Amino acid sequence: MMGDRPSPPRAMSSAATTSPSVDKVDGFSRKSVRKAKQKRSQSSSQFRSQGKPIELTPLPLLKDVPAPEQPELFLKKLQQCCTVFDFMDTLSDLKMKEYKRSTLNELVDYVTVSRGYLTEQAYPEVVKMVSHNIFRTLPPSDSNEFDPEEDEPTLEASWPHLQLVYEFFIRFLESQEFQPSIAKKYIDQKFVLQLLELFDSEDPRERDYLKTVLHRIYGKFLGLRAFIRKQINNIFLRFVYETEHFNGVAELLEILGSIINGFALPLKAEHKQFLVKVLIPLHTVRSLSLFHAQLAYCIVQFLEKDPTLTEPVIRGLLKFWPKTCSQKEVMFLGELEEILDVIEPTQFVKIQEPLFKQISRCVSSPHFQVAERALYYWNNEYIMSLIEENSSVILPIMFANLYRISKEHWNPAIVALVYNVLKAFMEMNSTLFDELTASYKSDRQREKKKEKEREELWKKLEDLELKRGLRSDGIIPT
Amino acid sequence: MAGADGDDSLYPIAVLIDELRNEDVQLRLNSIKKLSTIALALGVERTRTELLPFLTDTIYDEDEVLLALAEQLGNFTMLVGGPEYVHCLLPPLESLATVEETVVRDKAVESLRKISQEHSPVDLEVHFEPLVKRLASGDWFTSRTSACGLFSVCYPRVSSTVKAEIRQHFRTLCSDDTPMVRRAAASKLGEFAKVLELDYVKSDIISLFTALASDEQDSVRLLAVEACVSIATLLPQEDLETLVMPTLRQAAEDKSWRVRYMVADKFSELQKAVGPEITKNDLVPAFQNLLKDCEAEVRAAAANKVKEFCENLPEDNREQIIMTHILPCVKELVSDTNQHVKSALASVIMGLSTILGKENTIEHLLPLFLAQLKDECPEVRLNIISNLDCVNEVIGIRQLSQSLLPAIVELAEDAKWRVRLAIIEYMPLLAGQLGVEFFDEKLNTLCMAWLIDHVYAIREAATCNLMKLVEKFGAEWAQNTIVPKVLGMANDPNYLHRMTTLFCINALSEVCGQEITTKQMLPVVVKMASDQVANVRFNVAKSLQKIGPVLDNNALQTQVKPVLEQLKADSDMDVKYFAQEALTVLALA
């Protein structure tokens, strides 16, 4: 009965099975030397002064005592499980570690199948046991430049126990007997705050459990919802503007994705502010690729709720458009296409000019993946129909770059795509197309002339500065 | 207006503003960077009445442009007509101080701090302080964060009523409900304490300090540690025990390693701030704990401070404290499991020898140095070797040389070229300390072996190393020991080694002087002009150009010129090019 439990309900991350130490060739860099080390404990500062072996008195199995005695025994077992072991020391307390593991297993089973176990006294004990086990200061990351895409995550050493504690907690929250009205005394703001801090854990398995836990808490404790949203805001703002480091951004966004779904209309100002002041700036972070899918999902959710937000969102993306990182630029283009897929034609008209100025720049990017991604828009039927409706505005914006690229882009695939786009435009609006072709040269000349005038203006201004500077020995005349 | 010779009308504001509005960000950025030129063209009055309102109204742009603007405005006082008009700059800077992007905001605050000094006391109260208050009670966290940096610049110059208001605002921000603002307040706490009257430091600052130091977020608590240094410096010694120490003790044992790290990192400053008595009673045990911390990051930070901490201990029982309390911890760190800890220790441990004197060093420290010289991690060994000078002064390097040599040889032959590179860089230092005899006997072969290393960077560093050695040991030494070997390589079958000869000559000719260069080096260079590899030949041309100034005119005319003429007619275009260049530079053409 106990053997088939607990089955981790969520997909186990592949990270769980990969080896932690792959030595790089150049062993001199910090990175590869540290890689040679064993996995490290995430149980940080918990074991400062524990030298003594831990003794727990074995208790009978819950199923072996009569039903009336079970709640009392349940509490005792919870208290025993508050004891935390040092998993970095793989030799110490082996027996007791195994005892705690089997007790936790039993508790997981018990809360899943038993009825009438959840007395009012049990709530504080459950929360206490969970807090003792999961709340801890996360250890330093192995390296300052930890790259979650490249580096192996550090796995939590005490996972054999921790997993069961999370498992137990989730079953407790999901149990039919669970009453939020009692639990809210113990699962409070402070509890949630500590829970949110754990999302920075490097262990993807832990973050996955945390996601479920937080989602359940958000669902069951109405009084904590605003607080949770606000704290997530703070985490994101700190991530964007202060540290650029937080491991659980993708998981938090995933939770938010489902929360946004449930927002009532009209949207509250608080939610709109979250979109514009938090979600949009998240695009600026260097590690965007790690959570971009979840972020784009949240954005689209917002726009489906309230299409009038399209303009500020697109303007925001344009403001933060990547200048040098082509990989990010491709992600932006992908997200923009998702937005355009759901855009209303009336919204499209409002934003088309700045939008297509940017797309025109992307199309002429020397990086072929960027150019290619932008040109793929013309394969999207809905976008095509929008472009066609507004060809008189869009074609003049796009034309010069398309024309130039068709002649001078280094990549033949891009040139071929550009020809298709030009052809499409020609079919859409041949009169305008012909006009633009005819005036292409004179337009370029006019631009050059304007450029020259600018230069002259600045030259004059600088002469003036020099003259005045000389005349007054650096003291600016009034 | 002084520029009233008619040219002002040439620059209608519209044209200039057009530049600031240009569609291309780069052009817009360039225009903003030349904002002072635009202001100059407009004159002070129109700058105040037309340009600044425009700037204030149109602040929605790329952060890069805003950053440039925030910086420019800090230097604008003269352009708006001097200190009496400086308050005109406040509206645009106020908007910039509320922007999300941290760098923009910080720059705006920096500019505001700068121009605050140019305000008269009256203007400060009429214009500047209200701005600070508005920011401090802003809706979004960004403006409140910015406000934190402005209190300390206006506080000293305003009336006592306004001072009370400022203190109240600061107090409010210290308990703001967003951690971003509390962090900003905590980071300015020390600075603010410095401008407050001592009574208020005791009554206001201490309670804020205590609250921030026990904040629920460790990112706030650790900033309070920084403030601790300033606050402790301000208070009289007798108040420290009751007002500061409880909090500091708590920080040193904080459950978050980040806070303990901060304590370790600031340890020397804290030590100076609290004085010798408290150091003896409190900081010594705290330091021991940090050296034994369970997190390597904390141990490494503490290890870095070992020397400074010991140096600053009160002299009367410094030795006793070190020997009984610090040294046992240091001994353990030598065999720490974490290489960063060991390497941090290795970078300072040698400094202890000057403090402990000859006998203690030989008895207690020497075994540690020797163990570290054999450490598995090259960085640890390098750090020891790079600090040999401290030991040299106390016990002389001979004590170490037996162990030093194997360590140096091993590093010199390390499989990683960066390790080899690092040890080469210490060679001149080592040579100086070990003396010429030891060097010739043990190290010279290493230095020559590096010249034929298969990594270019090593060969290059080896060349430079030879030059420094000659600077130390003199031309005569060079002539006897290294020049023959270097010139011998000119006949090597590997063209890379032949080129190394040329590179060495380039480096050595000047330090070796005219005679050696003319008699020994020049003939070799000349001979190599007919090398079959073009790369060698054009390096001959480059070498001749390089050593030319060392030679006399006769050698130049009779030996260098014909060779360069010959190379100028070479079939390879690079050889021709460099030959021509050398002829021109040496004025032989």
Side-chain angles (χ1 to χ4, degrees), chain A residues 188-248:
Chain A
D188 54 5
Q189 295 194 348
K190 190 160 187 257
F191 185 92
V192 168
L193 205 59
Q194 288 172 283
L195 196 68
L196 283 169
E197 274 176 18
L198 289 176
F199 274 82
D200 195 20
S201 167
E202 255 184 62
D203 194 329
R205 301 168 304 181
E206 178 167 26
R207 296 201 304 270
D208 212 39
Y209 271 105
L210 285 164
K211 194 170 69 190
T212 313
V213 170
L214 186 65
H215 199 258
R216 296 291 172 273
I217 293 179
Y218 192 87
K220 293 192 189 276
F221 298 84
L222 303 189
L224 287 173
R225 287 185 177 180
F227 180 78
I228 291 175
R229 288 197 305 269
K230 198 169 116 195
Q231 294 309 321
I232 293 180
N233 260 354
N234 288 344
I235 289 176
F236 283 169
L237 288 168
R238 178 165 189 233
F239 172 65
V240 174
Y241 295 115
E242 293 182 16
T243 58
E244 286 220 347
H245 178 92
F246 192 83
N247 290 312

Side-chain angles (χ1 to χ4, degrees), chain B residues 61-107:
Chain B
D61 203 334
E62 304 242 359
D63 292 327
E64 212 181 343
V65 177
L66 298 183
L67 175 67
L69 178 60
E71 183 167 13
Q72 290 281 314
L73 291 176
N75 302 315
F76 240 57
T77 309
M78 290 319 280
L79 293 162
V80 293
E84 62 182 303
Y85 296 104
V86 66
H87 58 85
C88 298
L89 297 172
L90 296 179
L93 282 171
E94 181 174 355
S95 311
L96 289 168
T98 64
V99 163
E100 259 84 26
E101 178 50 53
T102 325
V103 286
V104 176
R105 226 179 324 129
D106 287 351
K107 189 55 85 179

Side-chain angles (χ1 to χ4, degrees), chain A residues 8-206:
Chain A
R10 281 142 289 264
M12 290 281 281
S13 150
S14 63
T17 49
T18 43
S19 127
S21 57
V22 186
D23 242 322
K24 296 267 170 69
V25 184
D26 185 356
F28 190 56
S29 72
R30 287 184 50 164
K31 209 178 215 171
S32 43
V33 178
R34 78 182 156 76
K35 286 250 155 127
K37 282 185 320 188
Q38 278 295 305
K39 279 187 261 179
R40 24 184 318 155
S41 160
Q42 294 226 344
S43 23
S44 195
S45 318
Q46 294 193 351
F47 305 102
R48 299 199 68 187
S49 52
Q50 276 182 14
K52 284 178 274 173
I54 297 165
E55 273 306 323
L56 298 175
T57 324
L59 297 167
L61 290 180
L62 282 157
K63 65 174 164 109
D64 293 345
V65 300
E69 290 170 30
Q70 282 183 6
E72 181 64 35
L73 185 59
F74 178 61
L75 291 187
K76 278 197 181 139
K77 293 205 173 215
L78 285 172
Q79 280 154 7
Q80 277 194 334
C81 286
C82 286
T83 315
V84 180
F85 292 90
D86 182 2
F87 273 81
M88 276 315 276
D89 188 344
T90 46
L91 297 175
S92 69
D93 307 312
L94 284 179
K95 256 194 175 153
M96 287 300 118
K97 279 178 188 164
E98 175 52 29
Y99 171 70
K100 180 174 168 184
R101 199 191 63 81
S102 67
T103 307
L104 283 167
N105 255 328
E106 194 195 0
L107 292 175
V108 171
D109 266 356
Y110 187 71
V111 293
T112 318
V113 298
S114 304
R115 293 286 168 268
Y117 73 95
L118 212 47
T119 59
E120 208 159 310
Q121 295 95 298
Y123 284 87
E125 293 302 325
V126 168
V127 175
K128 190 173 138 205
M129 191 278 275
V130 171
S131 306
H132 267 87
N133 280 280
I134 68 171
F135 293 151
R136 63 209 191 277
T137 307
L138 295 171
S141 180
D142 263 347
S143 140
N144 289 333
E145 60 267 40
F146 174 72
D147 176 356
E149 269 186 320
E150 291 276 327
D151 298 343
E152 288 290 339
T154 312
L155 297 179
E156 172 56 52
S158 62
W159 192 242
H161 286 175
L162 206 54
Q163 180 185 13
L164 292 171
V165 173
Y166 277 117
E167 195 63 47
F168 166 78
F169 191 41
I170 289 170
R171 309 244 171 155
F172 165 76
L173 290 169
E174 288 173 350
S175 152
Q176 288 182 348
E177 297 186 4
F178 178 76
Q179 291 182 48
S181 54
I182 303 174
K184 73 177 182 195
K185 269 185 273 177
Y186 311 105
I187 298 178
D188 54 5
Q189 295 194 348
K190 190 160 187 257
F191 185 92
V192 168
L193 205 59
Q194 288 172 283
L195 196 68
L196 283 169
E197 274 176 18
L198 289 176
F199 274 82
D200 195 20
S201 167
E202 255 184 62
D203 194 329
R205 301 168 304 181
E206 178 167 26

Side-chain angles (χ1 to χ4, degrees), chain B residues 209-252:
Chain B
F209 167 61
T210 318
L212 290 168
S214 41
D215 195 276
E216 63 198 6
Q217 304 240 341
D218 60 0
S219 54
V220 179
R221 295 202 298 276
L222 65 88
L223 290 167
V225 174
E226 267 190 296
C228 186
V229 177
S230 322
I231 295 172
T233 317
L234 295 170
L235 291 173
Q237 189 70 32
E238 63 269 21
D239 289 329
L240 287 177
E241 182 53 46
T242 49
L243 298 181
V244 174
M245 286 316 290
T247 308
L248 180 56
R249 272 184 217 119
Q250 175 194 317

Side-chain angles (χ1 to χ4, degrees), chain A residues 25-34 37 40-48 136-144 190 193-194 197 200 227 230-231 233-235 237-242 245 273-274 276-278 281 284 312 315-316 318-321 323 357 361 450-451 454 457-469 471 474-478, chain B residues 1-5 7-8 10-11 15-16 19 22-23 25 27 30-32 34-44 60-64 66 78-79 81-82 98-102 105 140-142 177-180 183 216-219 252-258 260 289-290 293-297 337-340 377-379 382 416-419 422:
Chain A
V25 184
D26 185 356
F28 190 56
S29 72
R30 287 184 50 164
K31 209 178 215 171
S32 43
V33 178
R34 78 182 156 76
K37 282 185 320 188
R40 24 184 318 155
S41 160
Q42 294 226 344
S43 23
S44 195
S45 318
Q46 294 193 351
F47 305 102
R48 299 199 68 187
R136 63 209 191 277
T137 307
L138 295 171
S141 180
D142 263 347
S143 140
N144 289 333
K190 190 160 187 257
L193 205 59
Q194 288 172 283
E197 274 176 18
D200 195 20
F227 180 78
K230 198 169 116 195
Q231 294 309 321
N233 260 354
N234 288 344
I235 289 176
L237 288 168
R238 178 165 189 233
F239 172 65
V240 174
Y241 295 115
E242 293 182 16
H245 178 92
Q273 174 166 300
F274 171 65
V276 176
K277 297 221 172 192
V278 183
T284 60
R315 282 196 188 278
L318 294 177
K319 179 178 171 191
F320 294 132
W321 200 270
K323 299 272 190 307
K357 277 179 188 160
R361 277 194 286 271
K450 221 178 142 191
E451 183 55 29
R454 284 196 59 250
L457 170 74
W458 278 106
K459 228 174 117 21
K460 272 194 221 156
L461 284 174
E462 267 149 36
D463 288 348
L464 173 82
E465 189 174 20
L466 220 60
K467 207 166 77 192
R468 289 195 173 172
R471 195 164 55 202
I475 297 161
I476 293 145
T478 47
Chain B
M1 235 174 272
D5 33 16
D7 50 17
D8 293 307
L10 285 173
Y11 311 105
V15 176
L16 299 174
E19 284 298 294
N22 199 302
E23 210 169 277
V25 186
L27 292 180
N30 289 344
S31 313
I32 283 284
K34 293 180 194 155
L35 198 60
S36 58
T37 310
I38 294 180
L40 201 56
L42 289 170
V44 291
Y60 178 85
D61 203 334
E62 304 242 359
D63 292 327
E64 212 181 343
L66 298 183
M78 290 319 280
L79 293 162
T98 64
V99 163
E100 259 84 26
E101 178 50 53
T102 325
R105 226 179 324 129
W140 190 242
F141 78 96
T142 50
D177 72 340
T178 71
M180 289 78 80
R183 277 193 288 276
E216 63 198 6
Q217 304 240 341
D218 60 0
S219 54
E253 292 185 346
D254 197 282
K255 68 180 196 304
S256 164
W257 62 270
R258 288 185 188 84
R260 300 198 303 275
N289 283 337
L290 292 170
D293 197 277
C294 61
E295 283 303 340
E297 265 71 6
T337 50
N338 183 293
Q339 60 149 335
H340 302 305
C377 162
E379 216 177 310
L382 276 174
K416 289 131 203 158
W417 68 269
R418 283 172 213 274
V419 177

Side-chain angles (χ1 to χ4, degrees), chain B residues 166-286:
Chain B
I166 292 179
R167 287 196 306 273
Q168 180 53 44
H169 277 292
F170 192 79
R171 210 176 299 135
T172 315
L173 294 183
C174 282
S175 53
D176 197 276
D177 72 340
T178 71
M180 289 78 80
V181 178
R182 293 203 302 279
R183 277 193 288 276
S187 69
K188 300 293 177 196
L189 183 64
E191 175 189 294
F192 190 55
K194 280 185 196 160
V195 299
L196 246 60
E197 297 79 358
L198 186 60
D199 281 347
Y200 290 121
V201 173
K202 287 188 198 172
S203 61
D204 284 31
I205 295 289
I206 293 297
S207 64
L208 297 174
F209 167 61
T210 318
L212 290 168
S214 41
D215 195 276
E216 63 198 6
Q217 304 240 341
D218 60 0
S219 54
V220 179
R221 295 202 298 276
L222 65 88
L223 290 167
V225 174
E226 267 190 296
C228 186
V229 177
S230 322
I231 295 172
T233 317
L234 295 170
L235 291 173
Q237 189 70 32
E238 63 269 21
D239 289 329
L240 287 177
E241 182 53 46
T242 49
L243 298 181
V244 174
M245 286 316 290
T247 308
L248 180 56
R249 272 184 217 119
Q250 175 194 317
E253 292 185 346
D254 197 282
K255 68 180 196 304
S256 164
W257 62 270
R258 288 185 188 84
V259 179
R260 300 198 303 275
Y261 172 90
M262 197 61 157
V263 175
D265 195 48
K266 298 276 164 225
F267 216 82
S268 307
E269 287 96 323
L270 288 167
Q271 183 187 8
K272 279 179 202 148
V274 298
E277 269 314 300
I278 296 181
T279 295
K280 255 189 277 181
N281 302 334
D282 272 278
L283 293 196
V284 172

